[in-house]
């Protein structure tokens, strides 16, 4: 039998900013497929309707294109397995869930969220691992029918063996054994008829004829459920390969609290896409000759899974900066450099965002440099003195920055929301808005007289603002005064429940 064509995919969920981890996983799938003349597919996993947005999806697509990780099939490209957006795949998942139900591999669960939450609390306090206790597994068919007749909401859960263990083969790690009693009876279809990640992912990987799944190691524990689903359906399982997670310098999982994670940040900072891809490649792979600088094409040509290393790769901005500098110095001519700068910021699209902010504030074009500088910079140079020049004292500046850093994660990154967030902080702290904003002007724009703050923050993006606010907070320090604790407490109580 001829070997099937290699088909890989990246399957991001469009919730929030495009993540550097998505690019990392996409890169490895891209190289693996391309090296073998196969196909690389992009699938949007947007079944979490409450958190998925079209805006986030558009940003993912744009960022992957910016990096040059183009897909053979997927949104905006289409292909034989369209649609590639799970929310558009209709009743497909429901039909497959029903198939499992009929075959006795799944069951309806009528437990209410209240019961499940009490059950988990009880399990936790008894020192047990929280997981479904199987109550509805024991319902008689007559009981199920009567509950269905009275329109009780239900989910569909998969059955899972109670004893023994599951062995999952990983191309990099070899066999991984996971005991069944650590695997939950996973919900496959939610009460609203939407599939969970597990069902949709398995069904689509099968229907889209994916042969190899390269994904982050955080999915290892899901692999037994997926393996079982493939068995229940009688489908061959794609080969699995779990890539090492990107890590913060302290070795914890890469998180925006410790490291910028949004691809938009790296673009706005002016990293070259070639350098970022090169760096992401280096995170878990090396050239046979040890050369650290390589292009996407070179990585494709030399790509071997055997050269993937499993150590915890630390995402280090200093090293990325060094590599980026090499790319700028060694790989672009003066003309190309000028062209890159235009593409980065001196383009109509970006300038048109700035024009309405700067035009009314200048008398000659030469005034532009000062006002536009924050939009053409990464982390800006400021002093603690500048941050403290206004009416707020040291503790208040520190608290205000700290609070903004906490709150900014839960607001939509639009100027109106940013304004409301800062007004809320001023109110909670009992200080005048004008006084509160002053250190923010300095932190974000480098000067208390600049373009409107909220607009600037929206344009710069959440990650760059976070980086600048964090830089400012590091400069003033985080005093642990009773006053600060009182403010934080009052404001936390005020915080809407997540
Ligand atoms: N939607 C999942 C994610 O956001 C995909 C995981 C997988 O590759 O199976 O990472």
């Amino acid at each position: 039998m001829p070997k099937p064509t290699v088909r890989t995919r990246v399957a991001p969920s469009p919730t929030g900013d495009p993540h550097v981890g998505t690019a990392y996983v996409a890169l490895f799938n891209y190289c693996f497929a391309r090296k073998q003349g196969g196909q690389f597919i992009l699938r949007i996993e947007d079944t979490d309707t409450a958190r998925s947005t079209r805006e986030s999806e558009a940003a993912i697509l744009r960022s992957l294109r910016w990096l040059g990780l183009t897909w053979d099939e997927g949104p905006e490209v289409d292909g034989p397995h369209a649609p590639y957006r799970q929310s558009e795949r209709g009743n497909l998942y429901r039909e497959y869930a029903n198939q499992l139900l009929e075959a006795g591999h799944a069951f309806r669960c009528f437990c209410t969220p209240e019961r499940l939450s009490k059950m988990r609390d009880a399990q936790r306090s008894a020192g047990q691992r929280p997981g479904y206790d199987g109550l509805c597994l024991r319902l008689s068919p007559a009981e199920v029918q009567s509950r269905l007749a009275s329109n009780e909401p239900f989910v569909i859960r998969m059955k899972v063996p109670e004893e023994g263990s599951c062995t999952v083969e990983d191309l990099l790690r070899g066999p991984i054994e996971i005991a069944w009693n650590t695997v939950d009876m996973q919900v496959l279809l939610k009460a609203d008829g939407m599939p969970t990640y597990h069902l949709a992912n398995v069904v689509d990987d099968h229907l889209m004829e994916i042969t190899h799944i390269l994904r982050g190691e955080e999915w290892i524990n899901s692999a037994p459920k997926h393996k079982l689903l493939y068995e229940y359906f009688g489908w061959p399982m794609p080969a699995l390969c779990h890539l090492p997670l990107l890590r913060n310098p302290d070795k914890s999982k890469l998180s925006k609290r410790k490291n910028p994670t949004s691809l938009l940040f790296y673009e706005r900072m002016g990293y070259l896409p070639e350098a970022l891809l090169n760096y992401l490649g280096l995170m878990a792979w090396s050239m046979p000759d040890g050369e650290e600088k390589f292009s996407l094409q070179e990585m494709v040509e030399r790509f071997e899974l055997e050269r993937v290393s499993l150590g915890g790769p630390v995402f280090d901005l200093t090293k990325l900066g060094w590599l980026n500098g090499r790319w700028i110095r060694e790989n672009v001519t003066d003309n190309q450099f000028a062209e890159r700068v235009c593409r980065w910021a001196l383009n109509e699209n970006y300038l048109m965002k700035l024009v309405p902010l700067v035009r009314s504030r200048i008398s000659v074009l030469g005034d532009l440099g000062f006002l536009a500088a924050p939009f053409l910079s990464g982390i800006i140079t400021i002093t603690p003195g500048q941050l403290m020049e206004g009416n707020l004292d040291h503790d208040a500046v520190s608290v205000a920055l700290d609070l903004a850093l906490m709150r900014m994660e839960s607001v939509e990154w639009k100027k109106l929301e940013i304004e409301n967030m800062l007004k809320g902080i001023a109110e909670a702290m009992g200080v005048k808005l004008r006084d509160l904003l002053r250190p923010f002007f300095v932190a974000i724009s480098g000067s208390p007289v600049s373009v409107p703050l909220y607009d600037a923050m929206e344009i710069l993006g959440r990650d760059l603002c976070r980086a600048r606010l964090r830089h400012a907070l590091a400069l003033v320090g985080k005093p642990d005064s009773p006053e600060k604790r009182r403010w934080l407490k009052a404001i936390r109580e005020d915080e809407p429940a997540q």
Side-chain angles (χ1 to χ4, degrees):
M1 267 216 323
K3 261 176 87 181
T5 315
V6 165
R7 285 171 62 84
T8 65
R9 53 48 167 196
V10 65
S13 298
T15 55
D17 282 351
H19 200 278
V20 78
T22 299
Y24 163 71
V25 171
L27 170 66
F28 281 76
N29 278 284
Y30 178 97
C31 290
F32 184 73
R34 285 278 184 282
K35 168 75 190 293
Q36 298 177 74
Q39 285 112 34
F40 168 60
I41 288 114
L42 170 63
R43 181 173 71 230
I44 300 295
E45 300 209 327
D46 57 351
T47 55
D48 183 348
T49 42
R51 294 178 61 229
S52 302
T53 65
R54 274 303 174 103
E55 206 181 10
S56 164
E57 178 194 310
I60 293 172
L61 266 55
R62 212 183 63 76
S63 290
L64 291 178
R65 285 218 168 88
W66 171 68
L67 287 165
L69 295 172
T70 47
W71 49 101
D72 301 300
E73 294 173 29
E76 294 180 357
V77 173
D78 269 357
H81 303 287
Y84 292 89
R85 202 175 271 124
Q86 289 185 328
S87 61
E88 287 174 7
R89 292 173 70 76
N91 285 331
L92 191 81
Y93 310 110
R94 205 172 315 184
E95 284 158 21
Y96 282 103
N98 284 332
Q99 194 177 312
L100 293 179
L101 211 52
E102 274 157 33
H105 296 312
F107 61 100
R108 290 187 183 84
C109 171
F110 297 90
C111 291
T112 60
E114 294 74 43
R115 171 178 190 268
L116 293 173
S117 137
K118 269 198 203 135
M119 172 199 78
R120 283 189 214 107
D121 287 347
Q123 287 166 334
R124 275 193 208 101
S125 45
Q128 293 162 358
R129 213 184 45 85
Y132 187 60
D133 59 3
L135 183 71
C136 290
L137 199 53
R138 298 183 283 275
L139 292 179
S140 70
E143 172 85 353
V144 170
Q145 284 317 316
S146 90
R147 286 186 166 202
L148 284 178
S150 56
N151 280 330
E152 264 189 56
F154 66 88
V155 300
I156 296 180
R157 288 182 187 273
M158 68 188 287
K159 290 188 184 169
V160 172
E162 280 165 31
E163 287 169 1
S165 61
C166 171
T167 304
V168 183
E169 284 297 329
D170 182 286
L171 292 177
L172 287 174
R173 297 157 201 265
I176 304 172
E177 198 175 321
I178 299 175
W180 281 120
N181 64 14
T182 65
V183 179
D184 201 9
M185 293 177 227
Q186 179 65 50
V187 174
L188 298 176
L189 206 71
K190 295 181 265 187
D192 61 2
M194 286 299 273
T196 57
Y197 152 74
H198 304 276
L199 177 67
N201 185 272
V202 165
V203 166
D204 283 346
D205 279 342
H206 172 69
L207 296 178
M208 295 180 182
E209 301 178 86
I210 300 302
T211 57
H212 295 78
I213 297 175
L214 277 62
R215 63 181 168 198
E217 68 184 302
E218 73 268 37
W219 298 105
I220 288 181
N221 287 336
S222 299
K225 293 174 194 171
H226 296 184
K227 187 173 179 203
L228 198 55
L229 285 174
Y230 281 99
E231 278 168 24
Y232 285 165
F233 285 121
W235 297 336
M237 183 161 178
L240 285 182
C241 170
H242 291 95
L243 298 167
L245 277 184
L246 301 181
R247 301 194 176 267
N248 296 311
D250 66 4
K251 289 276 179 184
S252 56
K253 177 180 165 187
L254 191 71
S255 65
K256 59 188 169 194
R257 279 194 309 112
K258 302 199 175 138
N259 209 84
T261 54
S262 167
L263 291 168
L264 303 175
F265 168 84
Y266 293 94
E267 189 181 0
R268 187 73 272 131
M269 284 288 284
Y271 289 97
L272 301 191
E274 294 93 329
L276 182 57
L277 271 189
N278 180 175
Y279 188 61
L280 290 174
L282 271 184
M283 289 281 90
W285 189 81
S286 55
M287 273 283 173
D289 59 6
E291 176 53 55
E292 288 199 298
K293 186 154 142 279
F294 47 82
S295 68
L296 177 60
Q297 194 46 38
E298 285 163 338
M299 183 164 168
V300 167
E301 279 159 19
R302 312 295 291 275
F303 192 77
E304 301 287 349
L305 267 187
E306 292 69 37
R307 299 203 61 80
V308 171
S309 61
L310 288 179
V314 172
F315 195 94
D316 171 13
L317 279 177
T318 315
K319 174 121 195 226
L320 172 60
W322 165 81
L323 197 57
N324 202 62
R326 276 191 67 187
W327 273 90
I328 290 183
R329 288 188 302 275
E330 298 167 18
N331 289 74
V332 288
T333 61
D334 285 355
N335 277 335
Q336 286 167 337
F337 179 76
E339 199 189 296
R340 289 299 181 111
V341 174
C342 291
R343 228 190 292 161
W344 170 61
L346 301 184
N347 59 68
E348 201 177 337
N349 188 17
Y350 194 54
L351 286 180
M352 282 310 286
K353 290 185 184 171
L354 310 186
V355 168
L357 307 184
V358 295
R359 198 146 74 124
S360 55
R361 290 176 172 77
I362 64 174
S363 45
V364 291
L365 298 185
D367 294 338
L368 193 63
F370 171 74
L371 289 177
F375 298 96
L376 305 175
S377 310
I379 304 299
I380 38 185
T381 313
I382 49 171
T383 63
Q386 279 174 293
L387 288 161
M388 245 99 72
E389 268 162 12
N391 289 334
L392 299 192
D393 67 14
H394 181 264
D395 273 11
V397 170
S398 161
V399 170
L401 292 170
D402 211 11
L403 284 173
L405 280 163
M406 279 193 306
R407 286 202 165 176
M408 68 186 294
E409 301 309 331
S410 49
V411 304
E412 206 190 330
W413 208 248
K414 293 272 183 283
K415 68 176 187 182
L416 212 71
E417 305 285 324
I418 298 169
E419 176 176 355
N420 287 337
M421 167 185 87
L422 291 170
K423 279 185 173 159
I425 293 176
E427 222 167 276
M429 290 178 65
V431 299
K432 284 203 195 105
L433 182 62
R434 205 154 47 106
D435 293 339
L436 179 99
L437 295 187
R438 194 182 159 106
F440 283 89
F441 267 100
V442 173
I444 297 294
S445 310
S447 158
V449 279
S450 188
V451 298
L453 180 69
Y454 313 133
D455 298 76
M457 289 177 80
E458 178 180 329
I459 293 171
L460 290 167
R462 195 194 310 256
D463 266 40
L464 188 48
C465 288
R466 188 192 298 111
R468 289 189 187 171
L469 293 179
R470 225 177 254 161
H471 175 64
L473 184 59
L475 288 177
V476 294
K478 279 183 146 199
D480 191 21
S481 65
E483 183 70 342
K484 180 175 169 182
R485 280 200 295 275
R486 188 180 63 75
W487 269 325
L488 288 180
K489 188 165 175 285
I491 287 157
R492 283 214 188 94
E493 278 161 10
D494 192 37
E495 199 97 330
Q498 293 279 322

